[in-house]
Amino acid sequence: MSERVQRKNDARRLEILRAAARVFRRLGLSASGMREIAEEADLSPGNLYYYFSGKDEILLFCQERTLARLLAAVKEARAASGAYAERLRSVMSEHVHCMLAHLEVEVLPEAMRKGVIEKRDAYERAVRSLVAEGMKRGEFAQTDPALVTRAMLGAVNWTARWYRPEGPQSVGEIADALSEYLVRGLAPAPRARVAK
């Protein structure tokens, strides 16, 4: 396959992924089928099967893309200079953007889960490392980095449950506000003034 054809194929797969996400949101994962996804993507079911062998493959593609974006975001943040709060805020913001198109890894067949779970765990370790480094530098309050990281990721992951595209805030507004709130929660307590 030529590079040009591959790019076109990848772009079409992304369009299908977006269409599938809309169908999953509207009908729920279990009620969604390839026929509904094909209709939303403006394809015949036969054409859809050219790009994906089934719903599980669409879910796997979604997970792989999401985790690649998250791992790239945390790698970029770890390599950046500047305050750890800003670096962590950028990772949490990207996570919100990804989660609002995210699908649960647990819905994948077991044979497809292993690689996704390994990448998800690598991402969590990288975020935890960013938090721990911020604590070492005194930018974040001293606490358990694993617990704080899991709480932050849990809050961000939950956005996929309550977000509604027709709601009052855009994805960008939610990402900015939530990442700001979560990172601000790590700030060390102000030191009490000593009376003279």
Side-chain angles (χ1 to χ4, degrees), residues 13 16-25 28-34 37 48 51-68 98 101-113 115-117 119 161:
R13 286 171 61 95
I16 292 167
L17 180 62
R18 289 184 191 104
R22 291 190 300 270
V23 172
F24 295 151
R25 241 188 230 113
L29 193 59
S30 59
S32 301
M34 291 294 275
I37 294 167
L48 179 59
Y51 294 99
F52 293 100
S53 64
K55 188 166 69 170
D56 291 341
E57 193 176 324
I58 293 173
L59 294 170
L60 179 62
F61 181 68
C62 174
Q63 290 289 338
E64 293 285 346
R65 279 200 51 83
T66 298
L67 286 164
C98 287
H102 174 75
L103 303 168
E104 294 298 319
V105 69
E106 287 72 23
V107 300
L108 287 172
E110 193 153 341
M112 293 180 160
R113 280 187 216 164
V116 171
I117 289 172
K119 287 179 184 172
R161 301 277 189 230

Side-chain angles (χ1 to χ4, degrees), residues 21 24-26 63 66 95-104 153-165 171 174 178:
F24 295 151
R25 241 188 230 113
R26 190 171 62 242
Q63 290 289 338
T66 298
H95 195 129
V96 171
H97 279 90
C98 287
M99 285 313 301
L100 296 182
H102 174 75
L103 303 168
E104 294 298 319
L153 296 179
V156 172
N157 290 343
W158 198 251
T159 60
R161 301 277 189 230
W162 54 259
Y163 171 72
R164 296 291 173 264
V171 171
I174 292 169
L178 187 56

